[in-house]
Amino acid sequence: AGTSWESGVRRSTRFRTKPLEYWKGERMVYGRVHESLSTVIGVKCMSPGTDGKPKLKAKSFVSDKYKELFEIASQY
């Protein structure tokens, strides 16, 4: 879980990100992409919109295959 074998070399499949800017409200989005453990599938944050109401921004790290999973997980 979390590794792959490419040409005889073990490689990690972990998603690497820059440190979160918690003062801006950035949070990790977790989902079960692999069979065993929940992993980070994106980052979300609240930002002020043009009308003054907060707007949810989300950045996905996974392929379109898991798009529905990311949308559901980033709502909360």
Side-chain angles (χ1 to χ4, degrees), residues 2 10-19 28 40 43 59 61:
R10 186 176 148 233
R11 302 274 182 211
S12 173
T13 58
R14 181 174 69 98
F15 299 113
R16 291 174 178 84
T17 65
K18 63 180 179 71
M28 295 282 189
V40 175
V43 175
K59 179 182 177 187
F61 298 148

Side-chain angles (χ1 to χ4, degrees), residues 4 11 18 21 25 27 30 48 51 60 71:
S4 67
R11 302 274 182 211
K18 63 180 179 71
E21 296 177 349
R27 300 290 182 256
Y30 293 92
D51 57 353
S60 174
E71 290 174 355

Side-chain angles (χ1 to χ4, degrees), residues 8 15 17 23 26-27 33 39 41 44-45 50-51 53-54 61 71-72 76:
F15 299 113
T17 65
W23 60 90
E26 285 188 344
R27 300 290 182 256
V33 177
T39 58
I41 59 173
K44 68 177 181 176
C45 68
T50 56
D51 57 353
K53 295 181 181 176
F61 298 148
E71 290 174 355
I72 292 169
Y76 305 104

Side-chain angles (χ1 to χ4, degrees), residues 45-70:
C45 68
M46 297 298 282
S47 65
T50 56
D51 57 353
K53 295 181 181 176
K55 182 178 177 183
L56 177 70
K57 291 174 133 182
K59 179 182 177 187
S60 174
F61 298 148
V62 292
S63 64
D64 290 338
K65 179 179 176 182
Y66 301 105
K67 183 178 181 180
E68 185 177 333
L69 171 67
F70 176 71

